Amino acid sequence: MRVGIVGAGQMGSWFARLFSGAGDEVLVNDIDRSRMRKISEELGVKACGLEDLARESDLVIVATPIAETPAVVSSVAGMMRKGSILTDICSVKEKVVSAMKGAKTEAELVSIHPLFGPGASDLRGKDVIVIPVRVRSAYRSLKKRLIEMGARITEMGAEEH
């Protein structure tokens, strides 16, 4: 799988490390070009522009500051292709889920909230809240993959979260 990470901060880097360590091809983008290059070099992943990342990835994880995430999700969604899946990792869901619902895209959309921080070594035994927004087969594959990696998945609506 080709995984795109938008945001190379602590959690974005954590997910880049997780997926690259699992043998996936990882693409990373960050507004801070020096941080993006650093993570690219440290992990041996590809640094690239946002549009290329969105078009080329099977899964895009938006790991940007909460205030920026809805705008990034809206922008990236329109660049993605059918059969791909866009997610975010925000802890606050109202605005990002609203942005997903309004997104003009053929990509699947799901909002996740990992209930752990970047100090975790992997997904084994970790809880992840999942809010399916617009999902089909790519989501089912992602959910299965996360469970195989050891995550405990709980699905719920944004209001419940």
Side-chain angles (χ1 to χ4, degrees), residues 20-98:
S20 65
D24 295 292
E25 181 181 354
V26 175
L27 311 174
V28 65
N29 178 274
D30 195 282
I31 196 167
D32 181 336
R33 298 298 183 214
S34 63
R35 180 170 47 195
M36 180 174 73
R37 282 190 300 275
K38 179 181 178 217
I39 293 303
S40 172
E41 291 167 9
E42 279 180 14
L43 301 179
V45 300
K46 180 182 175 185
C48 66
L50 187 59
E51 194 168 329
D52 288 340
L53 180 146
R55 274 197 315 261
E56 296 175 18
S57 297
D58 302 306
L59 166 65
V60 173
I61 300 171
V62 177
T64 56
I66 292 171
E68 306 301 321
T69 301
V72 174
V73 162
S74 294
S75 176
V76 170
M79 300 176 201
M80 294 180 67
R81 61 182 160 69
K82 186 175 183 175
S84 61
I85 187 165
L86 173 63
T87 189
D88 73 282
I89 60 167
C90 282
S91 58
V92 179
K93 295 299 180 190
E94 183 179 349
K95 290 181 182 177
V96 73
V97 169
S98 179

Side-chain angles (χ1 to χ4, degrees), residues 102-122:
K104 295 186 183 348
T105 185
E106 293 190 31
E108 295 181 38
L109 305 164
V110 62
S111 187
I112 68 172
H113 181 190
L115 299 180
F116 57 89
S121 57
D122 56 36

